[in-house]
Amino acid sequence: QVQLVESGGGSVQAGGSLRLSCAASGSIYGRRCMGWFRQAPGKEREAVAGIGSGGNTRYADSVKGRFTISQDIAKNTLYLEMNSLKSEDTAMYYCAASEWCTGGYPFGSKSWGQGTQVTVSS
């Protein structure tokens, strides 16, 4: 089972930036799609960004142009660069991995990280 550990969350003022990291360990075989999800209080978990094995990316409309997903294969690490942060970006952010991408996001059975909190003040 793939183990995912997120880091890099914190508190930032609106307009600021944060870089989230997701370190993967254990078996990554078949985990060809990775991505970031977020969940705000009282809201359902939503896909934010996804990246396939070929480096193809997908972003939610709400973050498009502001967030960038990337991966360092050598370090087995996934990143989410978040710029121009807004108060509505406040949420717990989760790293996820799955065998397949659907619509550019991890699909089906997923491995999840524990989450890292992002709080954006206005």
Side-chain angles (χ1 to χ4, degrees):
Q1 183 178 354
V2 177
Q3 295 178 331
L4 305 171
V5 180
E6 302 96 333
S7 62
S11 297
V12 65
Q13 293 184 357
S17 300
L18 285 173
R19 188 191 192 194
L20 306 184
S21 298
C22 172
S25 62
S27 178
I28 60 172
Y29 181 79
R31 297 302 192 254
R32 299 177 179 179
C33 185
M34 300 188 71
W36 292 93
F37 293 71
R38 68 185 182 187
Q39 187 168 22
K43 302 290 186 179
E44 293 185 348
R45 190 170 298 187
E46 62 176 348
V48 175
I51 185 167
S53 61
N56 50 303
T57 59
R58 174 72 181 270
Y59 299 93
D61 289 342
S62 59
V63 307
K64 196 172 299 181
R66 300 188 297 116
F67 290 11
T68 302
I69 187 171
S70 62
Q71 59 186 344
D72 187 327
I73 298 175
K75 294 182 178 180
N76 213 23
T77 302
L78 183 74
Y79 302 99
L80 184 67
E81 184 74 30
M82 305 184 294
N83 300 309
S84 301
L85 283 162
K86 305 174 181 179
S87 59
E88 50 262 47
D89 295 318
T90 296
M92 183 72 74
Y93 283 72
Y94 299 90
C95 177
S98 65
E99 290 188 57
W100 311 107
C101 289
T102 295
Y105 304 113
F107 174 76
S109 180
K110 306 178 186 69
S111 297
W112 293 98
Q114 84 290 345
T116 186
Q117 179 67 39
V118 172
T119 302
V120 184
S121 62
S122 59

